[in-house]
Amino acid sequence: MSASAIVMLIIAIVVVWGGLGVALLLLRRHPDRPDEETQA
Amino acid sequence: MQDRPREQWGTRAGFLLAAIGSAIGLGNIWRFPYVAYDGGGGAFLVPYLVALLTAGIPLLILEYTIGHKYRGAPPTAFLRMSKAAQPLGWWQVGVSFVIAVYYAVIVAWAVRFAGFSINKQWGNDPDSFFFNDFLQVADEPGAPTSYVSGVAWPLIAVWVITLGVLLLGVRKGIERANRIFIPLLVVLFLVLVVRALTLPGAVDGLNALFTPDWSEITNGSVWVAAYGQIFFSLSIGFGIMITYTSYLRRKADLTGSALVAGFSNSSFEILAGIGVFATLGFMAGAAGVPVGELATDGIGLAFVAFPEIISNMPAGALFGVLFFGSLAIAGFTSLISIVQVVVGAVQDRTGIGRVPAVLGAGGVTALVSIALFPTNEGMYILDVVDRFINQYGIALAGLVVVIAVSWIMRKLPVLQRHANQTSAVPLGGWWRIMLGLITPIVLGWMMWDSLRTELSANYEDYPTSLLISAGWAVALGVIVFAVIMSVLPWKHGGRETQPTEAGEEAKN
């Protein structure tokens, strides 16, 4: 592969898959509070 | 009218998988790779990411928040937002109905082609096999004159399974199906990508996809394509996520979930790009042509180019099952979400139970689909309906909704507060700027661009009569439907149960 293609492939993977990882981490650190009155 | 407790997702993970299943569809596999290649390869990443962050995710968050705050499928949600806004919701329901009737057909084709892959039934001429033998497409567009049973029976099966899942309900049906199918899709597709990367010539395909052509960055149409890809790929604009988030618990996170769904969708697209172009690289090497000569998208890529590649590949049968199986699963989980918009809307506005709503509204959708598309004209109708409902259904409704919510009803501050009450990622003024300013400009630009193309030449050189009957009439018909449904005297749901921001349980 050409150097520029490898760089763009890596950037794409790091930004998009990294973005997913960060979003998952943010969500895990913020568990849903239970509803006061839970309905089925 | 008897009020039932509203259905709810069982777990946050279950909801997320359903949201991801809805977002990942056919477009991720067969549209993104070509759009990226055509729009500057590696350089396309820039407009693509800008589009994701400035329009895709903000719009996704808007839909999440509307559905969660107003606790209803689109007609009920918009009615609760403002009485005059109900047609916006029915417009989205109409668009979902139209998309569902033809989307199911493509899922049925994929199921059949997974089977055809085993003995490479398309022989030496996949193009002729697909259009002549399998679809039996008429020579000219016109009125259907014959019914194609080879398409009809898998289509009936797709509808039986889809309605079966919906009959089981949000938690036991939709959530459980996505818990099974999304991990399965990821595994199947990963195996496919690994196989593609080990083929000779794969590197040439990746070179073609990722080598940046920076001159394209200044090309306006590449930016339109990037925003279009994000918009259509995330399935925003026709109320799916409004419907899905209306079944979330009151204290559920919204913005973090939207980010996860948005980035999951893009992550899968990147993976699909790698898989598809590695495969095209193999074929280009085998045929002795440049990759660009084989690059294409949509139906031509999936049902003509890929069968040819599968025939030329060692262990092609397995590859074919993986590819068409992935396509069918990705389409199926999206189809479930699209039909749920129609079913949920009917349930919320009439107060009837899930079973009659699925059998009634879902049944009508299935019948129209089964009656119209497995015919010798089905392919022409599908192509035209798809083009017009995408541009003048999804994108136009998206534009009108964004303008109505941000500028006419001025609901963004209220929605922002609502999302911030429970969400992992707080929304700031940036969110209102993206939705109030950038998204309308971009969608308006897309609309102008598309109208200009429409008026300059007939789409695909189809006869004007077909474009009017299957294109303009359908797109306008959905708007007329929305107005009629909004003036009908519904007895249930709506303004009387407007939930408050404190978050108490809505009644219906």
Side-chain angles (χ1 to χ4, degrees):
Chain A
M1 274 177 85
S2 69
S4 59
I6 292 174
V7 169
M8 290 319 288
L9 170 66
I10 292 171
I11 291 177
I13 288 176
V14 168
V15 172
V16 177
W17 295 359
L20 174 61
V22 172
L24 278 169
L25 271 178
L26 285 170
L27 200 56
R28 281 190 83 144
R29 284 190 192 159
H30 191 274
D32 287 346
R33 284 174 289 155
D35 288 358
E36 283 90 12
E37 36 170 330
T38 28
Q39 273 190 278
Chain B
M1 180 68 67
Q2 194 69 24
D3 280 334
R4 298 176 177 80
R6 189 166 189 80
E7 288 188 86
Q8 271 185 352
W9 299 103
T11 62
R12 177 195 259 183
F15 160 72
L16 272 174
L17 285 170
I20 293 167
S22 156
I24 295 177
L26 302 170
N28 296 66
I29 299 175
W30 77 18
R31 193 166 183 275
F32 171 79
Y34 181 76
V35 172
Y37 165 77
D38 196 41
F44 183 76
L45 198 61
V46 175
Y48 177 78
L49 286 175
V50 170
L52 176 67
L53 296 174
T54 60
I57 287 175
L59 271 167
L60 209 51
I61 293 174
L62 176 70
E63 291 210 353
Y64 275 51
T65 312
I66 291 175
H68 188 250
K69 176 170 170 55
Y70 298 105
R71 307 283 275 173
T76 304
F78 280 104
L79 173 65
R80 286 173 177 167
M81 188 184 284
S82 164
K83 199 178 166 192
Q86 192 186 175
L88 294 177
W90 282 114
W91 191 2
Q92 295 186 329
V93 172
V95 169
S96 296
F97 173 87
V98 173
I99 294 172
V101 297
Y102 72 82
Y103 204 85
V105 186
I106 304 171
V107 177
W109 297 347
V111 171
R112 282 298 273 148
F113 267 67
F116 292 155
S117 297
I118 295 169
N119 57 358
K120 296 160 193 157
Q121 206 160 326
W122 43 74
N124 296 326
D125 191 351
D127 187 275
S128 171
F129 176 82
F130 178 64
F131 290 105
N132 301 329
D133 302 337
F134 178 58
L135 296 184
Q136 299 171 25
V137 178
D139 293 337
E140 295 289 330
T145 52
S146 69
Y147 200 68
V148 185
S149 60
V151 178
W153 72 256
L155 180 60
I156 292 169
V158 165
W159 277 111
V160 167
I161 297 169
T162 304
L163 298 187
V165 167
L166 293 177
L167 278 173
L168 290 172
V170 169
R171 190 186 302 189
K172 290 185 178 157
I174 301 174
E175 186 170 336
R176 199 185 283 172
N178 279 285
R179 274 181 176 280
I180 297 167
F181 283 116
I182 294 306
L184 180 65
L185 171 66
V186 172
V187 171
L188 288 182
F189 210 78
L190 277 174
V191 175
L192 180 140
V193 169
V194 169
R195 172 67 187 128
L197 286 173
T198 55
L199 288 166
V203 168
D204 300 327
L206 296 185
N207 259 332
L209 178 61
F210 285 102
T211 302
D213 175 0
W214 294 109
S215 66
E216 290 286 359
I217 284 278
T218 52
N219 182 349
S221 62
V222 168
W223 285 82
V224 173
Y227 275 92
Q229 176 60 28
I230 285 292
F231 191 78
F232 295 123
S233 164
L234 279 174
S235 306
I236 25 192
F238 49 112
I240 291 178
M241 290 319 301
I242 293 179
T243 311
Y244 267 15
T245 50
S246 74
Y247 305 113
L248 274 173
R249 289 167 197 280
R250 272 280 153 213
K251 302 270 172 80
D253 167 274
L254 299 172
T255 59
S257 303
L259 280 167
V260 169
F263 274 101
S264 297
N265 181 65
S266 291
S267 297
F268 193 86
E269 273 185 347
I270 299 282
L271 195 64
I274 294 171
V276 166
F277 267 81
T279 313
L280 291 176
F282 157 74
M283 189 63 201
V289 296
V291 176
E293 214 164 279
L294 298 175
T296 178
D297 64 348
I299 289 169
L301 175 80
F303 296 101
V304 178
F306 261 65
E308 178 145 14
I309 298 171
I310 290 162
S311 290
N312 283 287
M313 188 186 286
L318 175 66
F319 192 89
V321 172
L322 288 171
F323 177 75
F324 289 111
S326 299
L327 206 59
I329 293 173
F332 175 63
T333 50
S334 299
L335 178 64
I336 289 175
S337 68
I338 299 169
V339 184
Q340 175 59 27
V341 176
V342 182
V343 169
V346 170
Q347 261 189 293
D348 287 351
R349 293 303 279 126
T350 60
I352 63 173
R354 168 162 285 272
V355 173
V358 172
L359 295 178
V364 168
T365 315
L367 285 177
V368 172
S369 174
I370 293 164
L372 212 54
F373 288 94
T375 61
N376 59 342
E377 296 291 341
M379 179 73 212
Y380 296 121
I381 302 172
L382 188 153
D383 195 18
V384 174
V385 171
D386 178 52
R387 159 83 190 178
F388 279 76
I389 208 67
N390 269 294
Q391 296 300 333
Y392 312 108
I394 300 178
L396 183 59
L399 174 64
V400 174
V401 164
V402 168
I403 292 174
V405 172
S406 10
W407 292 102
I408 301 173
M409 292 183 277
R410 296 184 172 273
K411 291 288 182 186
L412 291 185
V414 178
L415 292 168
Q416 182 184 344
R417 277 199 299 278
H418 180 84
N420 284 349
Q421 280 177 351
T422 56
S423 293
V425 183
L427 298 176
W430 59 269
W431 182 68
R432 299 203 304 271
I433 293 170
M434 301 298 169
L435 285 176
L437 203 62
I438 295 178
T439 315
I441 290 174
V442 173
L443 284 174
W445 181 14
M446 272 168 61
M447 199 52 52
W448 167 246
D449 206 53
S450 157
L451 267 174
R452 227 177 28 176
T453 316
E454 230 70 75
L455 298 176
S456 64
N458 275 12
Y459 172 64
E460 294 285 335
D461 284 331
Y462 284 130
T464 306
S465 57
L466 179 70
L467 296 184
I468 290 175
S469 60
W472 293 113
V474 171
L476 290 173
V478 168
I479 298 174
V480 173
F481 161 85
V483 173
I484 293 172
M485 295 303 271
S486 301
V487 297
L488 288 180
W490 299 98
K491 287 186 178 158
H492 192 267
R495 61 219 117 148
E496 75 280 8
T497 50
Q498 164 87 25
T500 69
E501 268 186 71
E504 60 268 39
E505 202 57 56
K507 272 168 60 188
N508 66 333

